[in-house]
Amino acid sequence: MGLLRSICITVTQLYVMFLFNIMSVHGFVPDSFGIGIIVPILKNRLGDVTDTSNYRGITLSPLISKLFEHCILDKYNSYIISSDLQFGLKKNLGCNRAVFALLQCVDYFVTRDSSMYMAALDATKAFDRINHIKLFHRLYDIGISAHVIRLIVNWYAKIVSVVQWENYFSSYFVFKSGVRQGGVLSPILFNIYVDCLAEILRESDLGCHIHGVYFGCLFYADDIILLSASIGNLQKMLDLCYVHGSGLDIVFNAKKSSLFVVGKR
């Protein structure tokens, strides 16, 4: 029985390997790879259960599609690199590293009798607002292989979802923007998409530097903090975020954004 099970597993692995290789060669994924089931989860059980804003949609994706994404990521991981100013959605990095970098930067300037002016920006539904065409162009610009881009283009053309409420299902609807929720590649694609904003800020040379290293902005997924020893330069950085963010279809939420200063002034 154990031998038979091992043979079955091996045969299954071969079929999966053949399927994935054919998909990669032809730049084509099955239609079922794009289907997602959205399950509404209550945010606050003590809140109004009839309020739609009190629910968060969690998307369930086919297991085989996630396996395929892991294969793509494993093979092309060395080519998919985002800015070192991005701390979110990365292996071996996280909120603690971002907070440490922020505290060290603030401490460096404040202990040298300089004030630190900061702006914490929150992008509204940034993951859902990603423009697919601009994302594909971005992948091409950073040198991602054409057949990988063709595969992702075909995949994103088939993204559809259905909402499940208990045992009932809605009709299918199409997503024309945003990355796939729950997708293994989605965090990587998001970082690549917003990477150009980090590089624009770095190239502007506005903001803080420590021993020649740029610390003018820190990204944690869709949360951005700008750091400057000059309030005038901070305003220029805000202007850059507004102009180039608009070009990426990114809208910053003023209600969740803050301006603050640390230091003597």
Side-chain angles (χ1 to χ4, degrees):
M1 190 67 181
L3 178 61
L4 180 60
R5 183 181 295 109
S6 299
I7 293 174
C8 291
I9 292 174
T10 303
V11 172
T12 301
Q13 290 173 337
L14 285 174
Y15 278 122
V16 171
M17 182 185 69
F18 289 146
L19 172 63
F20 287 178
N21 284 337
I22 291 173
M23 289 164 55
S24 298
V25 169
H26 294 282
F28 179 88
V29 300
D31 292 349
S32 60
F33 273 43
I35 298 176
I37 300 176
I38 301 176
V39 180
I41 302 297
L42 193 63
K43 295 180 182 178
N44 182 8
R45 296 185 179 277
L46 301 178
D48 185 2
V49 297
T50 64
D51 183 5
T52 56
S53 63
N54 195 26
Y55 289 85
R56 176 180 289 108
I58 303 298
T59 302
L60 306 179
S61 303
L63 181 60
I64 192 170
S65 70
K66 290 189 175 184
L67 178 60
F68 183 56
E69 287 182 285
H70 275 294
C71 292
I72 294 177
L73 188 58
D74 182 66
K75 185 173 182 179
Y76 298 101
N77 189 45
S78 59
Y79 300 95
I80 306 175
I81 302 173
S82 58
S83 172
D84 56 359
L85 296 169
Q86 173 65 262
F87 289 81
L89 311 173
K90 280 185 174 180
K91 187 177 181 180
N92 299 325
L93 287 177
C95 188
N96 290 339
R97 298 289 183 93
V99 172
F100 177 78
L102 173 62
L103 293 178
Q104 290 298 306
C105 189
V106 171
D107 183 68
Y108 179 86
F109 281 87
V110 171
T111 55
R112 286 163 175 77
D113 295 326
S114 176
S115 294
M116 175 70 73
Y117 299 93
M118 291 173 279
L121 305 180
D122 178 82
T124 303
K125 298 185 181 299
F127 286 84
D128 299 329
R129 297 181 63 91
I130 287 181
N131 184 298
H132 291 168
I133 302 301
K134 294 177 182 178
L135 171 62
F136 303 147
H137 279 292
R138 179 65 182 157
L139 294 174
Y140 178 80
D141 290 340
I142 66 174
I144 300 298
S145 175
H147 76 274
V148 175
I149 297 176
R150 185 169 64 248
L151 186 69
I152 296 175
V153 169
N154 181 267
W155 200 335
Y156 270 66
K158 299 176 178 179
I159 296 180
V160 295
S161 292
V162 59
V163 178
Q164 179 182 0
W165 182 260
E166 295 183 347
N167 295 324
Y168 299 93
F169 294 86
S170 70
S171 56
Y172 286 98
F173 52 93
V174 179
F175 277 99
K176 297 184 178 180
S177 64
V179 291
R180 297 174 60 246
Q181 188 184 92
V184 176
L185 284 175
S186 296
I188 308 298
L189 295 177
F190 178 83
N191 280 351
I192 292 174
Y193 186 78
V194 300
D195 217 28
C196 57
L197 184 56
E199 294 310 312
I200 287 169
L201 289 168
R202 190 202 299 268
E203 291 171 5
S204 73
D205 212 32
L206 299 169
C208 295
H209 297 73
I210 299 178
H211 301 298
V213 179
Y214 185 73
F215 281 95
C217 63
L218 301 175
F219 283 63
Y220 191 83
D222 56 342
D223 293 314
I224 306 170
I225 187 164
L226 309 177
L227 304 98
S228 174
S230 163
I231 193 170
N233 284 344
L234 180 63
Q235 180 61 61
K236 294 177 182 178
M237 295 170 74
L238 286 169
D239 293 339
L240 285 175
C241 287
Y242 173 75
V243 172
H244 294 282
S246 298
L248 293 172
D249 297 330
I250 294 176
V251 177
F252 294 104
N253 186 345
K255 292 183 179 179
K256 292 186 178 181
S257 299
S258 301
L259 299 172
F260 48 102
V261 60
V262 178
K264 293 182 177 180
R265 300 177 185 175

